[in-house]
Amino acid sequence: MRKIYYLLLLAAGATSYLSAQTPSDAILMKGNQACVLLEYSFASFDHYWEGEVKRNNQTIETVHRRSAMPMVAIGLWDNLNIYAGVPYVKTWSTEPNGGNFAGASGLQDLTLAAKYRWLNKTLNKGELVGLATLGFSTPISNYLPDYQPYSIGIGAPELSYRAILEYQHSSKWFVRGAGAYLWRGYAEAEREYYYNDGSYYTPWMDVPSAFTLEAVAGKWFLADALRVQLSYIASRSLSGDDIRSYNAPQPTNRVNFGRVGLMAQYYFPQVKGLGVVAYHNRIVDGRNAPEMITTGLGLTYFFNYRK
Amino acid sequence: MKGFKNKIILSVMVAFAFFSCEKDLPTYYEFQGYEFASVDPTGGNWKPILINSGADISLPTPSAPGSPAYLQEIEDLKEQVARMTEVETKAVTYWTQNPIIRWNEIALELVAKYNLIPGPNPDGSYTLPNPANPNGPPAFPFAHPPYAVRALAYLSVAQFDGLISAWHHKFAFNRDAPFVQDPSIKATYVGNIIPSYPSDGAVVASVSRQILTQMFPLEAEYLAEREAEHLRCLLLSGANVQSDIDAGRTIGQAISGIALARAASDGMRNAQAPKPVSDSIAQAALDRFGWEWINRELPQRPVGLTPLYGKVRMWSVDNVEQTRPIPPPAIGSPEYLADVAILKDFAANVTQERRRIANFWQDGLGTYTPPGHWNEFAKEFIVKYRLNPLRSARTFAYLNMAMMDGGISCWDAKYYYHYPRPIQVIDGFTTIAGTPNFPAYTSGHSVFSAAGAEVLAYIFPSEAQLVRGWAEEAAISRVYGGIHWTFDATVGTAQGIDVAGYTIEVARNDGAD
């Protein structure tokens, strides 16, 4: 009998990409540009929602998560960018704790994505841009998604279909809305029986698909060298069970959360192509989700890879 | 150029659409009804566990096949079959002619549902599940492995005794099944012709519902629904008329009462000892050996899991101390230090294979427990070797009796020796499995698994090597998980083999071999 009562890192893992030159923002590079990004983030939580009830748990105390991710983005054409990235993730609990569990670490999921601009319209006082993103991610190491809350990822392939619409006013203010459908496949546990509102005689766990809605407002400063934005994202699973009383989460759980975020990105005028990005976000409500607080830093570098 | 781009985008989207495959995730064991390997016409003479003989429970003489009463029952049956719905047809296929399999699955499902350890209250105290207030919180029961194996043992033993009684009357009265009496009735379940009075399926349905309702009181309504569905399927399958079913229920009622009376007085109600008793048990170990196990959870649990489970009445062993193993290595001794080194090495080198083994056998909170895992193996062998319901019940009965006796013997050792867990005595040690709330020596997984494997090896000799290999893997899995010493596993395996021997001796003399 274990006494593990864990938490999902799923929420944080699935949406940890920062919003700079990523599949989820409205920025598009030209057809001869490429960008490399190095992102480092640290996150933790000491409360979580067991179903809809918020609680803490001394078995796990505060769970920490560090992530380092290199990513490349390439402009194939002016209207089409592609992306690839893989994070390395490490998790552990503050000591002392009542569970004495080992944390986990390793390469998480490879993400590939393509972003296409289908609308680029000049209005009398600004610009309206519409984009669509297709993304695919899949685990590239043998991490165990059933080892909650320390698992470094959800362990299932994911297909994301995202639509983005951004309006930028001539005053340099912008607003953006995005909606995504995330199809998730199956995670493989290392056991052949589990309970999900009934018996399941298989190691395969159906990871609930989800949709997300995101609203962003921000402004460009310093002759477009600095961008600052506030965001709210809501994510809802389309199926799944609740974490059972004082029990560990599992990949079949229904995970919902709302998260607010603040992000700033700065391009050094003196060094062509170099930028830094910093962000901070917090999950403010949830169901079967950790109350995760995340802070991230990144370096971006643009260059022309062809004439 | 633009057309080319659009083509690429379109083809990527199409590729993604096809990727979205869905899997079929089984929620029960899918197998076709099968012809039994034997009918066992003398099965009614086998020695039962709880009663003296299959003849102990008497039944009224059934109406003769040609009698008006019986012909009326046949007409009623045909009328019901003619009005069968699609849902009912599926249910008949689901239950099969060996419904022991399904009731065992229902039992495992309830074990998994209730295998949740109570969490702390806001003030740091813990509330125990209370059968007098089953809704809780926390809900009753906490179906931990000792509870689970006991529930499974009473279920299987009552099924076995009930079926011995059914077999006795079947071959005494020798009334053929409706589909034999009237060729216009189509039998759903192909194969052997076994006399139908009393209905063996009704015995199983009635016994299972009653035992499981006692063990999982909050499931009374659910279990009554399952019983009603099963009983109806017996009729709709063409295997039984109503009087067959009624007679089966009479046996079920009688056997359940006897089994539950034993359960009420077997000592389980005292197993979760109060804190003063628990403390005195720990103190006795400290005085005797110089060590004691301490719960390391936060907030600390005041009492370990069922300290007096070792005093519960055993099935086949007179005195638990007959099966108590030798003492574990003293803390600080060379043998102990060697084990510390092994555990540290495993913790530092979690290979893919060791992790797989640790997780495959973990069967922790929220699952059907290690005894449940062995019931699942038994189920698959029963289907593979096409056992009839009587032999299926016999398999589960001895399997669960041996595992429950193993659990009792193991718990006796755990609280007699009160040996610390690795996280208690190795500084900074972390594990990939959850450390349970009871002493280390000996390993419950090891004892349950070895006892289960021995019974399966006895009943399915051609699987002996396989199942004994599994038991050894289950034992070492706890060392890989970081929560047991190697001697917990090896001594526990020997203990399980020893304890199972007592039940296998009973089995060899029951008349079935």
Side-chain angles (χ1 to χ4, degrees):
Chain A
M1 261 168 327
R2 306 174 301 159
K3 50 186 174 54
I4 350 180
Y5 324 104
Y6 295 141
L7 255 286
L8 283 199
L9 290 165
L10 200 152
T15 53
S16 67
Y17 285 111
L18 57 76
S19 325
Q21 293 303 322
T22 68
S24 61
D25 71 8
I27 295 176
L28 210 60
M29 295 180 300
K30 293 200 183 331
N32 60 347
Q33 282 184 318
C35 172
V36 291
L37 159 74
L38 201 62
E39 183 204 335
Y40 179 76
S41 73
F42 41 102
S44 67
F45 69 91
D46 61 4
H47 280 70
Y48 62 99
W49 287 269
E50 182 180 274
E52 292 177 327
V53 178
K54 190 173 163 184
R55 66 169 301 153
N56 67 348
N57 191 328
Q58 290 179 268
T59 304
I60 55 172
E61 286 292 345
T62 300
V63 177
H64 301 269
R65 174 193 183 88
R66 299 250 159 112
S67 162
M69 180 179 69
M71 190 168 102
V72 294
I74 298 168
L76 288 185
W77 295 293
D78 288 353
N79 284 337
L80 182 69
N81 287 183
I82 57 171
Y83 304 83
V86 180
Y88 180 88
V89 180
K90 180 174 166 63
T91 63
W92 71 97
S93 268
T94 303
E95 289 180 19
N97 60 72
N100 295 285
F101 284 96
S105 61
L107 289 173
Q108 192 210 41
D109 301 346
L110 169 69
T111 294
L112 302 171
K115 185 159 70 178
Y116 179 66
R117 182 166 62 198
W118 47 270
L119 176 69
N120 191 4
K121 198 171 180 184
T122 307
L123 304 173
N124 56 348
K125 290 206 168 171
E127 252 179 47
L128 188 65
V129 179
L131 305 109
T133 304
L134 282 178
F136 169 70
S137 72
T138 191
I140 57 159
S141 70
N142 75 330
Y143 70 83
L144 181 61
D146 194 26
Y147 187 54
Q148 300 286 1
Y150 303 107
S151 176
I152 61 172
I154 61 170
E158 178 184 277
L159 293 172
S160 62
Y161 305 82
R162 179 176 277 104
I164 304 164
L165 203 60
E166 178 170 292
Y167 174 72
Q168 186 173 322
H169 191 257
S170 53
S171 64
K172 299 294 181 185
W173 280 93
F174 63 89
V175 290
R176 183 166 79 238
Y181 171 72
L182 310 172
W183 176 88
R184 293 186 179 126
Y186 298 85
E188 189 176 9
E190 289 181 328
R191 51 179 167 147
E192 301 204 325
Y193 175 90
Y194 62 91
Y195 186 88
N196 173 12
D197 290 335
S199 292
Y200 280 82
Y201 292 91
T202 169
W204 293 100
M205 296 179 163
D206 188 0
V207 181
S209 295
F211 68 86
T212 64
L213 287 173
E214 187 175 22
V216 180
K219 191 179 180 188
W220 292 91
F221 299 95
L222 308 175
D224 291 355
L226 176 67
R227 176 167 63 127
V228 178
Q229 69 178 43
L230 258 174
S231 65
Y232 178 79
I233 186 166
S235 181
R236 296 286 177 273
S237 287
L238 299 170
S239 63
D241 60 340
D242 282 333
I243 300 173
R244 297 194 285 157
S245 178
Y246 204 53
N247 200 33
Q250 64 185 21
T252 57
N253 293 145
R254 177 187 295 271
V255 177
N256 296 341
F257 65 89
R259 191 180 69 197
V260 294
L262 184 66
M263 193 274 278
Q265 185 172 21
Y266 181 72
Y267 299 99
F268 293 98
Q270 305 88 336
V271 188
K272 190 170 185 282
L274 187 66
V276 290
V277 59
Y279 65 94
H280 180 80
N281 58 49
R282 291 170 176 255
I283 290 180
V284 291
D285 66 80
R287 176 170 173 176
N288 305 309
E291 193 183 37
M292 186 79 86
I293 298 170
T294 307
T295 303
L297 288 167
L299 273 178
T300 60
Y301 182 70
F302 286 88
F303 56 96
N304 291 341
Y305 71 95
R306 66 180 179 195
K307 297 275 176 184
Chain B
M1 189 65 188
K2 181 138 202 225
F4 173 61
K5 275 192 278 183
N6 286 341
K7 255 185 213 164
I8 287 184
I9 291 158
L10 190 69
S11 55
V12 169
M13 291 184 83
V14 167
F16 274 20
F18 278 105
F19 188 83
S20 309
C21 52
E22 299 293 332
K23 282 188 204 295
D24 186 28
L25 304 179
T27 55
Y28 58 89
Y29 191 41
E30 287 184 53
F31 66 98
Q32 297 295 312
Y34 53 85
E35 186 170 359
F36 305 134
S38 65
V39 169
D40 292 311
T42 58
N45 301 330
W46 296 357
K47 176 94 183 69
I49 309 295
L50 298 165
I51 54 178
N52 289 319
S53 80
D56 276 12
I57 297 161
S58 55
L59 287 180
T61 303
S63 53
S67 68
Y70 187 78
L71 292 174
Q72 184 59 49
E73 284 202 286
I74 291 280
E75 285 314 305
D76 291 346
L77 184 155
K78 283 157 102 170
E79 196 187 315
Q80 303 274 358
V81 170
R83 288 189 283 132
M84 222 164 130
T85 66
E86 201 177 318
V87 174
E88 286 172 327
T89 307
K90 276 190 183 153
V92 171
T93 308
Y94 159 80
W95 282 101
T96 79
Q97 69 268 59
N98 194 2
I100 295 264
I101 299 287
R102 299 303 179 213
W103 282 104
N104 190 266
E105 286 178 338
I106 291 167
L108 296 194
E109 181 161 4
L110 296 182
V111 167
K113 182 174 180 179
Y114 285 88
N115 182 11
L116 295 175
I117 193 168
N121 300 314
D123 66 358
S125 66
Y126 289 92
T127 306
L128 293 172
N130 179 0
N133 173 28
N135 281 300
F140 177 87
F142 166 22
H144 46 72
Y147 190 93
V149 74
R150 175 175 169 272
L152 291 166
Y154 281 104
L155 173 70
S156 309
V157 165
Q159 288 173 341
F160 182 41
D161 278 16
L163 287 184
I164 290 176
S165 181
W167 244 252
H168 168 82
H169 293 296
K170 276 174 184 290
F171 288 93
F173 293 119
N174 230 347
R175 188 167 82 176
D176 275 333
F179 68 86
V180 181
Q181 311 271 10
D182 185 334
S184 75
I185 298 170
K186 185 176 166 292
T188 313
Y189 302 140
V190 293
N192 319 74
I193 309 293
I194 297 177
S196 73
Y197 181 91
S199 159
D200 48 291
V203 173
V204 172
S206 168
V207 156
S208 305
R209 192 263 301 164
Q210 289 178 77
I211 303 290
L212 291 176
T213 298
Q214 178 64 32
M215 299 294 172
F216 301 94
L218 296 177
E219 301 298 324
E221 199 178 318
Y222 167 71
L223 290 163
E225 283 167 16
R226 300 311 302 264
E227 182 194 25
E229 176 193 306
H230 181 195
L231 291 175
R232 180 152 178 77
C233 288
L234 296 172
L235 201 71
L236 297 177
S237 70
N240 294 118
V241 293
Q242 191 59 45
S243 57
D244 296 332
I245 293 169
D246 293 343
R249 296 177 74 191
T250 300
I251 293 175
Q253 187 73 30
I255 289 292
S256 300
I258 293 165
L260 292 175
R262 185 195 190 277
S265 60
D266 68 0
M268 186 65 182
R269 67 168 70 204
N270 303 317
Q272 190 60 48
K275 187 164 191 325
V277 175
S278 165
D279 288 350
S280 71
I281 291 171
Q283 187 62 45
L286 191 60
D287 294 344
R288 197 178 285 126
F289 306 112
W291 63 68
E292 62 170 328
W293 164 78
I294 294 168
N295 174 284
R296 295 294 302 270
E297 287 174 69
L298 297 175
Q300 188 181 52
R301 286 183 193 274
V303 178
L305 185 78
T306 56
L308 296 180
Y309 189 66
K311 307 258 184 253
V312 170
R313 186 176 159 201
M314 300 172 88
W315 292 98
S316 312
V317 181
D318 293 332
N319 181 351
V320 69
E321 289 181 28
Q322 286 168 246
T323 61
R324 186 179 287 166
I326 55 161
I331 306 286
S333 67
E335 202 186 336
Y336 164 86
L337 292 173
D339 238 58
V340 170
I342 291 170
L343 279 169
K344 284 182 172 173
D345 177 58
F346 285 157
N349 302 291
V350 180
T351 64
Q352 198 165 329
E353 180 66 355
R354 287 183 199 142
R355 190 186 81 178
R356 183 195 68 75
I357 290 170
N359 285 305
F360 180 85
W361 296 103
Q362 181 152 204
D363 298 326
L365 289 172
T367 74
Y368 54 25
T369 76
H373 209 153
W374 287 91
N375 275 259
E376 191 189 347
F377 295 143
K379 169 176 83 179
E380 291 169 5
F381 289 137
I382 283 167
V383 173
K384 180 179 175 184
Y385 291 95
R386 299 184 294 113
L387 299 198
N388 65 40
L390 179 61
R391 283 198 182 265
S392 303
R394 179 174 182 266
T395 303
F396 281 126
Y398 291 132
L399 172 73
N400 289 314
M401 286 162 64
M403 289 197 295
M404 181 172 162
D405 281 0
I408 291 166
S409 175
C410 177
W411 250 249
D412 166 73
K414 279 181 182 295
Y415 283 92
Y416 180 75
Y417 293 117
H418 230 276
Y419 204 70
R421 292 276 177 176
I423 56 162
Q424 182 186 331
V425 285
I426 306 176
D427 277 346
F429 195 65
T430 58
T431 67
I432 59 169
T435 300
N437 176 33
F438 39 83
Y441 183 83
T442 52
S443 144
H445 277 57
S446 308
V447 182
F448 285 130
S449 298
E454 287 307 303
V455 172
L456 294 183
Y458 155 67
I459 293 182
F460 307 103
S462 49
E463 309 288 352
Q465 199 185 344
L466 180 68
V467 295
R468 287 182 175 132
W470 287 347
E472 295 203 352
E473 192 177 276
I476 197 68
S477 79
R478 309 304 277 166
V479 184
Y480 294 159
I483 62 169
H484 270 293
W485 310 100
T486 63
F487 43 84
D488 296 341
T490 52
V491 178
T493 299
Q495 186 181 3
I497 292 169
D498 175 47
V499 174
Y502 292 83
T503 289
I504 292 168
E505 187 61 22
V506 173
R508 287 191 197 284
N509 292 298
D510 73 356
D513 282 348

